[in-house]
Amino acid sequence: MLSTSPTRPEVVVVGAGVIGLTAAVVLATAGVRTEVWSAEDPDDTPSARAGAVWTPVPQAPLDASLAWAARSLHEFCGASRVPGSGVRLAEGLTLVEPVSAVRLPPLTRLSPDLRDAAPGDLPPGFGAGLRYRVPVIDMARYVPWLLRRLGEAGGRVRRRQVAGLGEALAAAPVVVNASGLGARELTPDPTVRPVFTQYVVTDNPGLDRVVVDTTDPRRWVSIVPHADRVHLGGVRITGRDDDRPDRELASDVLRRCRDLEPALLDARITRIDTGLLPSRPTMRVEAELRPDGLVVHSYGHAGGGVTVSWGAAHAVAALVTDRA
């Protein structure tokens, strides 16, 4: 256990996206007095607007990606049995070129019940696909569930703009830097780049299966259904720092998703969600001992934040307790 004043937090987590909130939950549950500082409401971060599927995407460092994704898969499967978590297990279908099935990335092989899709599972015009079970996370319910877990463990969230990590270190001996894109200036880390992401959100006409089309190497699309809505995705643009909706891209995604799933033809479009995700050549989860305290960095997860969130959170907690 860390040693500090009974009223002073032992750890301040900077950032209330899925990476920061999950790390805070793990720390607080372990008995560490934890505060989350965020300039944004946790319900208004890019994480909170994500379609949010446990998606096997290889990221560097690959060994860590494998371990963290596997830990997160275990946690999400457990959460799917908890009422109110916003997590459910759904059938998934990824459409691939026929030759792609023999060179699956390692993360894909973690998918539960992975198997070749039967011809009857495929939309017209597609020759191969992969079937699996996948955690789908309704972030509109999942973020409040994480916040409840944090509160029940004694943690709390404060709305606070941070100009530098030294501010947080003045309040606690350990700071978890989960500031996402803000790490460019706060760390500072010039290797952090924005990734523009966008979803077209529609009413749900009765869909339950997640469908991802990867057959076009230049672009992909995804259909992620939740109870009351469907997130139609496929937009990832590295280096774009303008988060205003792109109507042309939205029209293209909507057309391609409707081609895949004709039931979407009459679905009412409710909004277009956008966000800027933090990309980095290598995800950074490491400890940095500074003269004024310990900083544990956890950022640069880009579109894989949900997938690695629990594994990265436990890695953060281990670094905090190892240096305490």
Side-chain angles (χ1 to χ4, degrees):
M1 180 63 63
L2 301 170
S3 177
T4 187
S5 165
T7 59
R8 186 186 185 206
E10 295 172 294
V11 176
V12 167
V13 178
V14 178
V18 70
I19 293 295
L21 283 182
T22 310
V25 168
V26 171
L27 287 165
T29 301
V32 179
R33 288 194 303 279
T34 305
E35 283 188 1
V36 178
W37 290 6
S38 176
E40 300 174 290
D41 190 291
D43 294 319
D44 196 32
T45 64
S47 294
R49 296 188 292 272
V53 179
W54 181 90
T55 305
V57 178
Q59 292 178 274
L62 185 57
D63 288 346
S65 291
L66 287 165
W68 297 343
R71 180 67 178 265
S72 298
L73 176 62
H74 174 77
E75 296 279 357
F76 284 129
C77 287
S80 71
R81 298 187 290 271
V82 178
S85 70
V87 182
R88 67 183 177 93
L89 295 180
E91 288 296 318
L93 170 67
T94 294
L95 303 167
V96 299
E97 292 293 338
V99 296
S100 299
V102 300
R103 54 173 187 268
L104 298 178
L107 275 171
T108 302
R109 301 190 202 106
L110 293 176
S111 302
D113 302 328
L114 182 67
R115 61 199 185 278
D116 289 331
D121 297 327
L122 303 172
F126 289 90
L130 299 169
R131 293 285 304 275
Y132 43 85
R133 295 278 285 172
V134 64
V136 179
I137 302 95
D138 184 344
M139 298 302 282
R141 297 168 62 199
Y142 182 70
V143 169
W145 181 70
L146 283 180
L147 291 170
R148 287 195 299 273
R149 288 191 60 181
L150 178 61
E152 290 166 358
R156 66 172 183 169
V157 177
R158 295 179 60 190
R159 289 288 299 275
R160 178 163 175 173
Q161 180 78 44
V162 178
L165 295 179
E167 289 182 32
L169 284 169
V174 179
V175 168
V176 175
N177 176 21
S179 57
L181 197 57
R184 284 189 300 184
E185 287 76 33
L186 288 180
T187 307
D189 185 343
T191 69
V192 176
R193 302 181 65 197
V195 176
F196 173 76
T197 182
Q198 177 172 283
Y199 293 94
V200 178
V201 183
T202 72
D203 290 338
N204 190 339
L207 304 181
D208 185 68
R209 182 175 70 171
V210 175
V211 180
V212 181
D213 178 8
T214 66
T215 57
D216 187 336
R218 299 166 300 173
R219 55 184 182 175
W220 54 273
V221 293
S222 62
I223 299 171
V224 181
H226 297 292
D228 60 347
R229 67 194 187 282
V230 183
H231 287 242
L232 309 178
V235 177
R236 295 284 191 277
I237 303 176
T238 300
R240 174 170 170 169
D241 58 6
D242 180 355
D243 66 355
R244 290 174 297 180
D246 189 312
R247 303 289 175 177
E248 183 176 346
L249 288 174
S251 295
D252 181 65
V253 165
L254 185 62
R255 176 186 60 79
R256 296 183 68 204
C257 287
R258 284 173 168 170
D259 287 344
L260 285 177
E261 182 47 77
L264 291 167
L265 287 170
D266 297 324
R268 181 176 65 96
I269 300 170
T270 59
R271 64 181 190 269
I272 297 176
D273 285 345
T274 67
L276 298 177
L277 306 178
S279 176
R280 192 175 184 271
T282 301
M283 293 183 294
R284 187 181 188 190
V285 177
E286 64 182 11
E288 177 191 359
L289 188 60
R290 297 187 176 189
D292 48 353
L294 176 68
V295 175
V296 177
H297 300 283
S298 185
Y299 63 86
H301 307 86
V306 170
T307 297
V308 302
S309 57
W310 284 101
H314 283 281
V316 165
L319 290 171
V320 169
T321 55
D322 285 350
R323 300 298 181 98

